Amino acid sequence: MVGGRPKVSPIFKFFSFLYQKKDVSILIDIDGTQEEYEPWIAQQTEPTSPAQTSDEMPIKPADFSDLDDIDYYQLKDVGYARSGDKGNTVNIGVIARHPDLVPYLNEKLTAEAVGLIFQHLFEDESGHKIENGHKLVKRFYLAGINAFNFVLPSALGGGGVASLRPDPQGKGAAQMLLDEFYLALPKNTMKSIIKETD
């Protein structure tokens, strides 16, 4: 082994918290001239409408009336995806390649279905596997861009520098989902969408 045995190094634990902006003193120094800065603080108001999960959003039902017309497709055939981290949480966004695919994604790409693919990732703070961790996943519908956002808490082994995993920021989670998830779709629907988008 070149260079000998590597030394033991500490693992830093990521810890987020909220602190009142009004309690932070800000001093700006430009070329020796110091000036105190008072940040603008918005008045706290109640949100006009809380975030809605996709179960609360009106999406037309998927049409599976012709069972002879069904074929299986990988998620990458019907959607785009990107993922990342927020501390110890994985965030996966999936955008339908066409608005007509949204009802099928809504019906099949559920929070629980996504969670089952990533069940092996969920751990508590002690590093023990969380039984039924897939039930922690939340799904949100972004109607304006025909997309779904999935939030997977406790799925990064601590996240960032606190994680010993090969993908501590969850950047590969989207590709895993695109490759691993299959859904049944009407062939005629897919053919017409492919023609329209070509």
Side-chain angles (χ1 to χ4, degrees):
M1 224 163 65
V2 178
R5 186 186 299 268
K7 294 180 180 176
V8 175
S9 59
I11 294 177
F12 297 96
K13 191 74 174 176
F14 181 79
F15 179 72
S16 298
F17 63 95
L18 298 175
Y19 194 75
Q20 292 292 329
K21 191 188 289 187
K22 64 181 177 57
D23 296 332
V24 178
S25 298
I26 302 174
L27 189 65
I28 300 173
D29 188 319
I30 302 175
D31 295 329
T33 304
Q34 294 186 341
E35 184 178 330
E36 284 192 14
Y37 173 75
E38 286 190 28
W40 176 78
I41 300 172
Q43 297 298 316
Q44 190 169 1
T45 58
E46 291 297 319
T48 52
S49 60
Q52 292 179 301
T53 63
S54 52
D55 296 332
E56 301 169 323
M57 298 292 286
I59 301 174
K60 68 177 183 177
D63 181 13
F64 289 104
S65 56
D66 186 1
L67 294 177
D68 294 329
D69 184 43
I70 300 295
D71 203 354
Y72 286 89
Y73 298 88
Q74 274 183 294
L75 182 59
K76 67 182 179 183
D77 297 323
V78 298
Y80 309 97
R82 184 148 184 200
S83 59
D85 66 316
K86 294 287 179 287
N88 195 26
T89 297
V90 178
N91 198 81
I92 308 173
V94 178
I95 305 175
R97 289 182 181 265
H98 192 278
D100 290 348
L101 293 169
V102 171
Y104 300 98
L105 289 174
N106 180 56
E107 190 163 314
K108 300 296 181 185
L109 194 66
T110 62
E112 187 164 356
V114 170
L116 285 169
I117 287 177
F118 296 100
Q119 174 61 48
H120 62 288
L121 296 181
F122 298 104
E123 291 179 351
D124 62 22
E125 290 185 4
S126 302
H128 299 103
K129 294 291 179 195
I130 299 175
E131 292 294 324
N132 298 319
H134 62 280
K135 294 185 177 178
L136 299 173
V137 178
K138 287 194 168 67
R139 180 181 78 166
F140 300 90
Y141 177 46
L142 289 76
I145 58 170
N146 304 310
F148 295 91
N149 186 40
F150 296 89
V151 180
L152 292 71
S154 304
L156 287 175
V161 295
S163 177
L164 294 176
R165 294 189 181 169
D167 184 16
Q169 295 176 319
K171 301 296 184 185
Q175 193 59 51
M176 287 171 63
L177 185 60
L178 289 172
D179 289 343
E180 297 292 326
F181 194 86
Y182 285 79
L183 65 164
L185 293 170
K187 286 185 277 189
N188 286 335
T189 300
M190 282 299 290
K191 283 177 187 173
S192 63
I193 288 170
I194 290 167
K195 278 183 186 175
E196 190 177 321
T197 53
D198 277 350

